[in-house]
Amino acid sequence: MSNKLIFRKAKEMHYKQGGKNPQVQVDAIQNELMLSGEDMKYYLESLRKLRLIKYSDEQPESIEITKVGLATQI
């Protein structure tokens, strides 16, 4: 598993949900990719440090793709 795969899945779900700033549920990504909670936290923290995602202020268990993330091709 890699950051690239996690990010691609998050971005895919982001576009499927649509809207102004869709929030992607962390557990949806985790379940689809069959990851443990610990692994998921590690990968999300790596993506957050790269400024590709941010944790949602409104929902604690969801993420948003940042503008940098939307412009990034992986």
Side-chain angles (χ1 to χ4, degrees):
M1 198 62 56
S2 71
N3 283 346
K4 290 180 182 182
L5 183 60
I6 306 295
F7 182 65
R8 279 189 206 140
K9 183 54 69 178
K11 200 169 179 180
E12 174 188 318
M13 290 178 162
H14 169 89
Y15 284 121
K16 281 183 182 177
Q17 288 179 345
K20 182 180 176 188
N21 224 1
Q23 299 170 351
V24 179
Q25 296 296 320
V26 171
D27 61 344
I29 300 169
Q30 183 177 341
N31 290 339
E32 193 157 328
L33 297 176
M34 295 183 281
L35 291 170
S36 69
E38 203 171 289
D39 288 342
M40 192 66 183
K41 287 180 185 179
Y42 170 79
Y43 290 121
L44 290 179
E45 189 59 28
S46 297
L47 293 171
R48 187 192 64 77
K49 286 178 182 177
L50 293 170
R51 299 181 329 162
L52 298 175
I53 65 164
K54 68 177 184 175
Y55 292 100
S56 173
D57 296 330
E58 299 167 9
Q59 297 178 349
E61 288 299 316
S62 62
I63 59 169
E64 297 175 10
I65 307 295
T66 63
K67 289 181 182 180
V68 172
L70 291 174
T72 301
Q73 295 289 332
I74 292 183

